[in-house]
């Protein structure tokens, strides 16, 4: 019986595993094609200060699959990281963002960069080439990295970050509070800004512990002279709690969803 059951299990699971694998492979093939055809797009989400002035726009990549429709970057960015496509994706993103925002006046633009890009010794050559091609001023651009980038650094990541700073870019640490970066690594990697992860913001209304955590992060950021922005702010109540904690920079659906550059050119036309 158990043999029978074992066989049944195998015949039951195998087609499923096949299907999952096939799905992944076909997604990878389609992503490869999309990248080769520059068929991805960028959207931009504002960050505002307490006077509701826009202080920065975060660039976020979008992929609409020809048959499956929009695929979340939380699916295809990790897929790129697993398949080696991430350097191509990273180059597409930086190229398109510089191209679309070069003429914007009066706002900073944040670009997400994968830890794997920062580990590449070729990274800075790509950046300086694109800076020259679009003649952009790096001091208007912020590079968003995650705490994962700072772990297990073999030296290349730190070199790349220091070179970015030398070029004039600022460095923001994304999803802050969810990883394991030490205060020491904030200094060591010359981070300028922290983005408080939206899980903390989400819990602000539910429990006092979240408020104590946010309060501590803000005090820490202040003491280290870092800029601080809260991400994923969806409600007035969350914004008020954040303000009470001394955090006056917000990004989230309360302010705006991410939108294509074409809808922003009127605001930032230069
Ligand atoms: P992230 O960098 O932390 O970006 C913030 C994410 O939160 C975005 O999701 C944004 O659309 C979403 N968001 C903004 N406001 C709110 C809100 O009020 N509530 C909620 N629930 N969500 C909000 P998105 O665009 O799906 O991107 C997800 C993640 O994918 C990003 O997280 C980032 O890690 C990665 N990603 C996106 N674009 C790029 C890119 O161009 N390059 C790289 N390397 N990664 C990217
Ligand atoms: Mg980000
Ligand atoms: Mg984030
Ligand atoms: Mg996030």
């Amino acid at each position: 019986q158990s043999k029978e059951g074992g066989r049944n299990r195998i015949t039951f699971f195998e087609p499923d595993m096949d299907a999952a694998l096939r799905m992944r492979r076909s997604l990878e093939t389609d992503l490869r094609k999309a990248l080769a055809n520059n068929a991805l797009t960028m959207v931009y989400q504002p960050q505002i200060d307490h006077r509701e002035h826009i202080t920065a726009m975060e660039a976020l990549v979008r992929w609409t699959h020809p048959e499956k429709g929009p695929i979340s970057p939380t699916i295809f960015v990790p897929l790129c990281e697993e398949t080696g496509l991430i350097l191509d994706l990273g180059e597409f993103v930086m190229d398109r963002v510089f191209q679309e925002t070069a003429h914007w006046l009066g706002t900073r633009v944040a670009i997400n960069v994968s830890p794997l890009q920062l580990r590449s010794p070729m990274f800075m050559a790509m950046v300086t080439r694109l800076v020259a091609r679009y003649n952009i001023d790096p001091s208007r651009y912020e590079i968003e990295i995650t705490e994962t980038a700072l772990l297990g650094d073999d030296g290349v990541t730190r070199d790349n970050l220091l070179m970015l700073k030398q070029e004039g870019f600022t460095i923001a640490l994304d999803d802050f509070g969810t990883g394991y970066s030490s205060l020491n690594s904030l200094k060591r990697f010359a981070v300028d800004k922290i983005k408080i992860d939206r899980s903390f913001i989400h819990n602000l209304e539910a429990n006092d512990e979240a408020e104590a955590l946010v309060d501590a992060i803000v005090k820490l950021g202040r003491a280290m002279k870092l800029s601080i922005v809260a991400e994923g702010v969806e409600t007035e109540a969350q914004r008020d709690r954040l303000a009470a904690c001394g955090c006056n920079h917000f990004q989230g659906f309360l302010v705006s969803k991410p939108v294509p550059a074409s809808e922003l050119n009127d605001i930032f036309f230069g």
Side-chain angles (χ1 to χ4, degrees):
Q1 315 310 3
S2 76
K3 212 174 170 190
E4 183 82 40
R7 237 190 341 258
N8 281 343
R9 256 204 310 280
I10 289 167
T11 51
F12 180 76
F13 279 112
E14 263 190 345
D16 264 11
M17 280 182 37
D18 260 18
L21 251 173
R22 267 204 310 275
M23 167 84 107
R24 247 184 80 90
R25 292 253 169 79
S26 90
L27 210 58
E28 184 191 334
T29 308
D30 297 342
L31 189 53
R32 226 173 257 284
K33 258 185 235 154
L35 276 168
N37 298 327
N38 287 335
L40 292 87
T41 60
M42 301 305 302
V43 288
Y44 299 85
Q45 187 181 37
Q47 292 169 20
I48 61 162
D49 63 15
H50 63 293
R51 293 162 163 178
E52 309 206 343
H53 289 162
I54 295 175
T55 52
M57 303 291 290
E58 179 179 13
L60 297 156
V61 68
R62 292 290 177 266
W63 179 32
T64 304
H65 188 281
E67 288 108 38
K68 299 186 173 79
I71 313 267
S72 167
T74 60
I75 308 253
F76 72 83
V77 171
L79 188 63
C80 282
E81 288 172 333
E82 288 155 25
T83 55
L85 286 172
I86 192 66
L87 298 185
D88 289 343
L89 178 75
E91 180 161 1
F92 166 84
V93 165
M94 194 168 276
D95 188 296
R96 184 59 65 87
V97 171
F98 285 170
Q99 185 191 328
E100 289 184 332
T101 65
H103 65 286
W104 286 3
L105 295 177
T107 189
R108 309 175 55 68
V109 177
I111 304 177
N112 291 283
V113 165
S114 161
L116 294 182
Q117 288 180 267
L118 289 170
R119 244 160 253 175
S120 159
M122 305 301 291
F123 177 70
M124 278 314 290
M126 185 268 286
V127 174
T128 48
R129 185 159 42 78
L130 293 179
V131 165
R133 179 185 301 165
Y134 295 103
N135 194 25
I136 58 96
D137 173 5
S139 70
R140 283 183 44 230
Y141 291 83
E142 222 162 79
I143 302 299
E144 290 197 7
I145 63 172
T146 56
E147 291 168 289
T148 325
L150 311 185
L151 296 174
D153 167 40
D154 57 5
V156 179
T157 294
R158 183 159 181 269
D159 287 349
N160 278 334
L161 290 174
L162 294 182
M163 283 189 279
L164 282 170
K165 300 267 294 192
Q166 250 159 37
E167 285 277 311
F169 291 96
T170 50
I171 310 297
L173 194 53
D174 210 345
D175 306 338
F176 185 77
T178 57
Y180 300 92
S181 54
S182 60
L183 298 185
N184 194 34
S185 63
L186 290 180
K187 278 270 177 260
R188 184 174 135 75
F189 291 92
V191 169
D192 301 290
K193 172 169 176 172
I194 51 181
K195 302 188 74 177
I196 308 175
D197 189 68
R198 73 162 182 264
S199 57
F200 295 101
I201 314 308
H202 186 77
N203 291 334
L204 266 183
E205 282 167 279
N207 59 58
D208 295 343
E209 204 177 299
E211 188 156 340
L213 278 168
V214 169
D215 203 58
I217 292 173
V218 173
K219 287 204 171 74
L220 171 84
R222 284 255 172 98
M224 296 184 73
K225 300 197 166 57
L226 302 169
S227 310
I228 309 158
V229 61
E231 63 175 17
V233 183
E234 293 180 353
T235 67
E236 300 275 355
Q238 288 167 350
R239 192 187 57 186
D240 293 346
R241 297 248 173 147
L242 283 161
C245 293
C247 176
N248 293 306
H249 286 79
F250 317 98
Q251 177 179 352
F253 297 158
L254 177 67
V255 182
S256 170
K257 296 210 148 137
V259 293
S262 56
E263 290 177 33
L264 294 164
N265 286 334
D266 290 346
I267 312 180
F268 299 120
F269 187 77

